[in-house]
């Protein structure tokens, strides 16, 4: 495994649409492992999309610290949404920024796992927030695009 550099705001790649994975090759497996290492050890995020390490493929990982642990999504599709919730979001690619964003309260998502098996998952609360945030990255959308109030900037 290896750490990868996080792409930050200003790099136009974050605005591009990611392409589906056509084959779950060893490169994709390594990508997933490197993304996890980068998310956990270096940056301590609760999710990461491939575009954030510079790879325009429809892949993301989330781990919100609940009973699901680490979840990997390849070629995900959100199949259902219900309700709404507002959460103060941040992003590894927009360091120091945060804003309230409205998201569905509950979602269903189907995707492939790293073995190429399709699975479907129902999520609510923070897990739903995080999945929607990562899904947006696949479309080139950042949480600041959906901010409800002020975008806060933390000085350091
Ligand atoms: O680490 C992250 N925290 C977070 C907090 C609230 C809502 C969404 C997130 S995802 C973010 C990691 C990230 O940028 N993933 O793309
Ligand atoms: Ni993000």
């Amino acid at each position: 495994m290896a750490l990868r550099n996080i792409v930050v705001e200003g790099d136009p790649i974050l605005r591009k649409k990611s392409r589906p994975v056509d084959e779950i090759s060893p490169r994709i497996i390594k990508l997933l492992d490197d993304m996890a290492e980068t998310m956990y050890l270096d940056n301590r995020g609760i999710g990461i999309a491939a575009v954030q390490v510079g790879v325009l493929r429809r892949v993301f990982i989330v781990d919100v610290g609940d009973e699901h642990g680490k979840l990997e999504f390849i070629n995900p599709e959100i199949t259902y949404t219900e309700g709404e919730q507002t959460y103060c979001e941040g992003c590894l690619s927009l360091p120091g920024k945060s804003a309230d964003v409205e998201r569905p309260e509950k979602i269903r998502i189907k995707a492939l796992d790293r073995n190429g098996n399709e699975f479907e998952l129902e999520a609510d609360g923070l897990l739903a927030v995080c999945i929607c945030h990562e899904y947006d990255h696949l479309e080139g959308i950042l949480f600041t695009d959906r901010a409800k109030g002020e975008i806060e900037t933390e000085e350091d």
Side-chain angles (χ1 to χ4, degrees):
M1 295 217 283
L3 289 175
R4 300 207 186 188
N5 290 322
I6 297 272
V7 172
V8 294
E9 200 178 14
D11 189 323
I13 197 173
L14 288 173
R15 292 307 190 172
K16 293 188 174 161
K17 191 171 149 115
S18 294
R19 295 176 315 220
V21 171
D22 42 24
E23 180 201 357
I24 303 173
S25 63
R27 280 186 77 207
I28 296 292
I29 301 299
K30 179 162 181 4
L31 171 67
L32 285 163
D33 289 340
D34 290 354
M35 285 166 62
E37 186 174 354
T38 304
M39 177 178 81
Y40 287 124
L41 301 185
D42 191 28
N43 295 288
R44 298 187 181 86
I46 59 171
I48 189 169
V51 63
Q52 293 181 278
V53 297
V55 177
L56 282 170
R57 291 289 178 180
R58 300 182 79 80
V59 170
F60 62 75
I61 297 175
V62 306
D63 185 346
V64 299
D66 67 3
E67 71 279 6
H68 293 98
K70 180 180 74 180
L71 293 167
E72 298 176 332
F73 300 84
I74 299 168
N75 297 345
E77 299 293 341
I78 293 173
T79 56
Y80 174 81
T81 69
E82 180 188 310
E84 54 191 43
Q85 61 177 324
T86 300
Y87 196 88
C88 182
E89 299 196 14
C91 182
L92 294 171
S93 296
L94 283 64
K97 286 194 177 172
S98 62
D100 281 347
V101 179
E102 197 174 280
R103 303 284 192 186
E105 164 57 26
K106 193 177 190 181
I107 65 161
R108 288 185 70 81
I109 182 167
K110 86 177 176 199
L112 299 178
D113 65 21
R114 65 164 61 204
N115 301 311
N117 296 317
E118 191 174 279
F119 67 97
E120 196 161 17
L121 176 82
E122 195 166 277
D124 60 11
L126 179 58
L127 184 58
V129 167
C130 191
I131 288 171
C132 291
H133 175 116
E134 302 314 331
Y135 190 88
D136 272 352
H137 276 301
L138 307 187
E139 298 293 310
I141 298 167
L142 300 174
F143 80 89
T144 44
D145 301 342
R146 300 192 188 276
K148 278 186 62 175
E150 297 274 283
I151 299 167
E152 306 284 344
T153 307
E154 164 201 306
E155 314 290 346
D156 65 325

